[in-house]
Amino acid sequence: MVIWLTGMSGAGKTTICTALHDLLKPHLPELVLLDGDVIRRAFSQDLGFIESDRKVQIGRIQKLAKILSDQNLIVLVGALYAHPDLLSWNRQNLQPYFEVYVKASMSLLKERDSKGLYGSSAPNVVGVDIPWHEPTHSDLVIDADQLPNPASVAHDIARAVPRLAAKLSEIQQ
């Protein structure tokens, strides 16, 4: 299965994916984590950050997630770009699929801006000069502005995904 976390840069996708991975990996060896930034550094030296390159990047992550999921692995993905066509492809091709939208206000993103994207004149920033397509059919929405504890969010996600909920129940007994 694939659990796909999306949200703008700085929303907390990587932090939440890491918390979920740390919670479950000791009990689910078939759990793998694909972080968009890590995948970009490993495989996408040929891509920039323009919108068309972002689509190619997500396409690569989608294909990798499918290959791993088809081998009965549980794949956690943290990825920024959320064009409706790409998320629709996920629903049609990644089964079972669970989508989490980590929603954050621009003021929170600017406050957290560890990459220096929102306060600069850097080009090709999603949500600034590349449109952010807010997901409309996510299975779970996390409000990052409520400053949720990542470990607590990891438990919330695990409880919302039936395959993970059963394992979480086992762990807690």
Side-chain angles (χ1 to χ4, degrees):
M1 88 165 300
V2 175
I3 303 160
W4 191 282
L5 280 76
T6 190
M8 291 178 53
S9 183
K13 300 175 300 295
T14 297
T15 302
I16 293 168
C17 278
T18 300
L20 189 56
H21 185 267
D22 291 349
L23 172 67
L24 296 173
K25 182 66 175 182
H27 311 283
L28 286 170
E30 68 272 25
L31 182 68
V32 294
L33 173 59
L34 300 178
D35 180 78
D37 288 340
V38 173
I39 297 297
R40 178 179 280 278
R41 282 192 301 274
F43 299 108
S44 301
Q45 297 86 352
D46 59 328
L47 298 177
F49 292 92
I50 62 174
E51 192 167 11
S52 60
D53 285 351
R54 289 179 182 278
K55 288 180 181 178
V56 170
Q57 166 71 0
I58 294 298
R60 290 175 178 177
I61 294 170
Q62 289 171 314
K63 290 175 183 104
L64 184 54
K66 180 157 179 45
I67 289 167
L68 296 172
S69 178
D70 286 351
Q71 294 179 53
N72 217 15
L73 297 175
I74 301 170
V75 185
L76 294 175
V77 175
L80 164 64
Y81 193 68
H83 190 279
D85 293 344
L86 298 171
L87 295 179
S88 177
W89 187 95
N90 287 356
R91 287 212 181 271
Q92 292 170 13
N93 295 281
L94 304 174
Q95 296 297 320
Y97 174 75
F98 191 88
E99 184 179 291
V100 179
Y101 173 27
V102 184
K103 185 175 184 171
S105 68
M106 186 57 74
S107 61
L108 178 65
L109 298 174
K110 285 180 178 180
E111 180 183 318
R112 289 183 175 173
D113 195 11
S114 64
K115 296 178 185 173
L117 299 174
Y118 299 112
S120 72
S121 58
N124 305 312
V125 177
V126 175
V128 177
D129 58 345
I130 292 178
W132 166 249
H133 303 278
E134 185 171 53
T136 56
H137 302 298
S138 298
D139 299 294
L140 182 63
V141 177
I142 304 297
D143 184 353
D145 285 277
Q146 298 301 315
L147 302 175
N149 176 297
S152 174
V153 173
H155 278 85
D156 291 345
I157 294 169
R159 282 190 290 270
V161 178
R163 184 168 175 184
L164 301 183
K167 185 54 74 175
L168 185 62
S169 179
E170 255 178 57
I171 294 168
Q172 294 175 334
Q173 289 180 358

